[in-house]
Amino acid sequence: DIQMTQSPSSLSASVGDRVTITCRASQRISSYLNWYQQKPGRAPKLLIYAASSLQSGVPSRFSGSGSGTEFTLTISNLQREDFATYYCQQSYSAPQTFGPGTKVDIK
Amino acid sequence: QVQLVQSGAEVRKPGASLKVSCKASGYTFTSYYMHWVRQAPGQGLEWVGIINPSSGSTYYAQKFQGRVTMTRDTSTSTVYMELSSLRSEDTAVYYCARGKEDIFLVATPRSTIAYWGQGTLVTVSS
């Protein structure tokens, strides 16, 4: 199975900050990398697919980049509603696997 | 709009089995893969498997092979996930989630999980 890691595991930030989360895959996955946001008690929400494509309806302050084994999610101008946990996930091969998550909370 | 409505919370004893349903609406049921993902309390996300609602073909994570069965009913646009030989470690919220791409445009394992149901809490306890 492909192992996914994320860093940091948590971070504190302020409204208006720029936040970057890194995700690494244990083997090359081309651009089959997706990012999800999850708030407590809610189902995850797709933000970015295929490493850098913005899902419909997602604000443009979210962006993704990378290919191969290293990927980043950037949130520019962090808003209050962005405080949540973020997961990366590979859809290159089965079983699809998720990273452990990065919790973004208010400083 | 895409809607996935799951069945309600369940409580089971160890060794029992359960079946969770997921009723889809707002799109052509047979055109998109359906995934199942689970999340133990306070933990991350774990992919269980996927079903092609058109053909009924399935792919399960090896961890669940032999214990999980995914089926579908095209007449009611509903997918089911049955999990047997339950143990306490199976306590989790189980989500059904629809793929983003048309099934004819993506290989099964590469379907992007795009739309999620509300989740079904399954508690396994003696």
Side-chain angles (χ1 to χ4, degrees):
Chain A
D1 299 359
I2 297 174
Q3 307 303 315
M4 308 300 294
T5 59
Q6 289 182 233
S7 61
S9 56
S10 65
L11 66 92
S12 296
S14 301
V15 172
D17 282 355
R18 180 184 179 91
V19 167
T20 299
I21 300 169
T22 298
C23 175
R24 290 184 174 86
S26 61
Q27 64 187 75
R28 295 183 66 83
I29 57 171
S30 184
S31 295
Y32 290 91
L33 190 284
N34 311 303
W35 290 98
Y36 298 87
Q37 176 194 67
Q38 188 179 32
K39 296 180 179 179
R42 304 291 297 274
K45 172 186 174 183
L46 177 64
L47 300 176
I48 301 286
Y49 64 97
S52 60
S53 296
L54 192 67
Q55 171 69 349
S56 175
V58 174
S60 58
R61 63 180 179 273
F62 292 92
S63 64
S65 65
S67 68
T69 62
E70 188 156 334
F71 304 85
T72 59
L73 171 71
T74 300
I75 313 171
S76 60
N77 189 20
L78 193 71
Q79 298 297 298
R80 186 160 296 274
E81 60 266 29
D82 301 335
F83 293 98
T85 300
Y86 293 85
Y87 295 93
C88 63
Q89 179 236 14
Q90 65 83 16
S91 53
Y92 179 77
S93 68
Q96 295 191 5
T97 46
F98 293 85
T102 296
K103 185 175 181 180
V104 177
D105 61 23
I106 301 172
K107 184 183 290 184
Chain B
Q1 72 284 19
V2 176
Q3 276 202 311
L4 303 173
V5 179
Q6 299 183 224
S7 49
E10 303 267 16
V11 179
R12 293 287 188 275
K13 294 189 183 306
S17 62
L18 89 153
K19 194 171 187 177
V20 179
S21 67
C22 170
K23 183 172 176 60
S25 62
Y27 69 96
T28 302
F29 176 71
T30 52
S31 293
Y32 299 89
Y33 290 106
M34 195 74 80
H35 302 252
W36 288 89
V37 176
R38 77 177 187 179
Q39 186 170 37
Q43 303 300 309
L45 299 163
E46 183 175 33
W47 188 80
V48 178
I50 187 172
I51 183 168
N52 177 330
S54 178
S55 66
S57 63
T58 55
Y59 188 103
Y60 308 135
Q62 185 161 13
K63 174 177 180 176
F64 301 99
Q65 287 275 0
R67 288 207 301 140
V68 69
T69 304
M70 295 177 188
T71 56
R72 92 296 190 208
D73 181 343
T74 56
S75 69
T76 61
S77 299
T78 302
V79 296
Y80 300 91
M81 185 202 67
E82 186 166 16
L83 191 61
S84 62
S85 302
L86 290 167
R87 32 209 191 225
S88 58
E89 310 90 88
D90 293 319
T91 294
V93 175
Y94 289 76
Y95 293 101
C96 62
R98 202 205 83 173
K100 179 176 176 63
E101 307 89 349
D102 187 291
I103 58 173
F104 296 109
L105 299 180
V106 64
T108 302
R110 294 184 172 175
S111 167
T112 303
I113 299 172
Y115 303 95
W116 298 68
Q118 84 275 20
T120 296
L121 175 61
V122 173
T123 303
V124 182
S125 173
S126 55

